[in-house]
Amino acid sequence: MTDLDLVETICKTCDMGREIIAQVLAKTESIQLHEALFAQAKEYDSIYAQADSLLQALHRPAKEANPLAKIQSQVVIDLKTTFAENSDSAIAEMVIEGSTMGVANMTKQLHGYSGDHKTVVGLAKKLIKTEEANIEQMKHFL
């Protein structure tokens, strides 16, 4: 895994996180959950912007998550929130699942990274810590 590969993965992971949050915000019943999700979206935006800056320095466009994955997440979110008794709990569970996948994927990518670019490594680690913080924050809504 090169610098470029890792930065592109960071962009895709942040884009998917933003997409999921955008999809569930309208289904959120409590103000506290809405505020927590909005703060998470802002953090994804910040990390994405930093990764985008690194890509621009390499004269590469920012990467987004797979469109099929975005559609699939929308279907799953719609199904889970339609049939859930407590939609805030269902939303928190989905965010936890998504962030857990984000942690696993970024950790795997970081372990496969062959470069030594401190900024890239730092950004990947920041995203992992953000995902872990998101998980902890969402546990309060289960």
Side-chain angles (χ1 to χ4, degrees), residues 11-22:
C11 282
K12 290 177 185 177
T13 302
C14 287
D15 186 53
M16 194 65 197
R18 294 186 306 189
E19 180 71 23
I20 289 170
I21 290 173

Side-chain angles (χ1 to χ4, degrees), residues 39-81:
Q40 288 181 12
K42 286 176 61 175
E43 187 65 22
Y44 284 127
D45 286 340
S46 173
I47 296 170
Y48 185 92
Q50 292 172 57
D52 182 37
S53 292
L54 290 171
L55 287 173
Q56 286 179 16
L58 298 169
H59 305 290
R60 302 285 187 157
K63 295 290 183 174
E64 293 185 356
N66 182 323
L68 184 58
K70 290 180 177 183
I71 292 169
Q72 183 181 15
S73 73
Q74 180 66 55
V75 170
V76 170
I77 288 167
D78 287 345
L79 286 172
K80 285 187 175 184
T81 56

Side-chain angles (χ1 to χ4, degrees), residues 21 36-37 39-40 43-44 47 92 95-96 99-100 102-103 125-141:
I21 290 173
L37 292 170
Q40 288 181 12
E43 187 65 22
Y44 284 127
I47 296 170
V95 172
I96 288 170
S99 289
T100 300
V103 168
K125 288 180 178 180
K126 181 178 181 179
L127 179 54
I128 291 169
K129 288 188 184 300
T130 297
E131 296 283 24
E132 291 171 340
N134 291 350
I135 292 166
E136 289 305 312
Q137 185 180 42
M138 288 296 107
K139 286 179 182 178
H140 300 284
F141 297 99

Side-chain angles (χ1 to χ4, degrees), residues 89-120:
S89 178
I91 288 168
E93 185 175 348
M94 286 183 279
V95 172
I96 288 170
E97 290 170 2
S99 289
T100 300
M101 288 191 308
V103 168
N105 183 47
M106 284 307 307
T107 301
K108 180 181 175 182
Q109 299 302 319
L110 196 54
H111 287 164
Y113 175 61
S114 59
D116 62 352
H117 195 291
K118 290 182 181 4
T119 303
V120 173

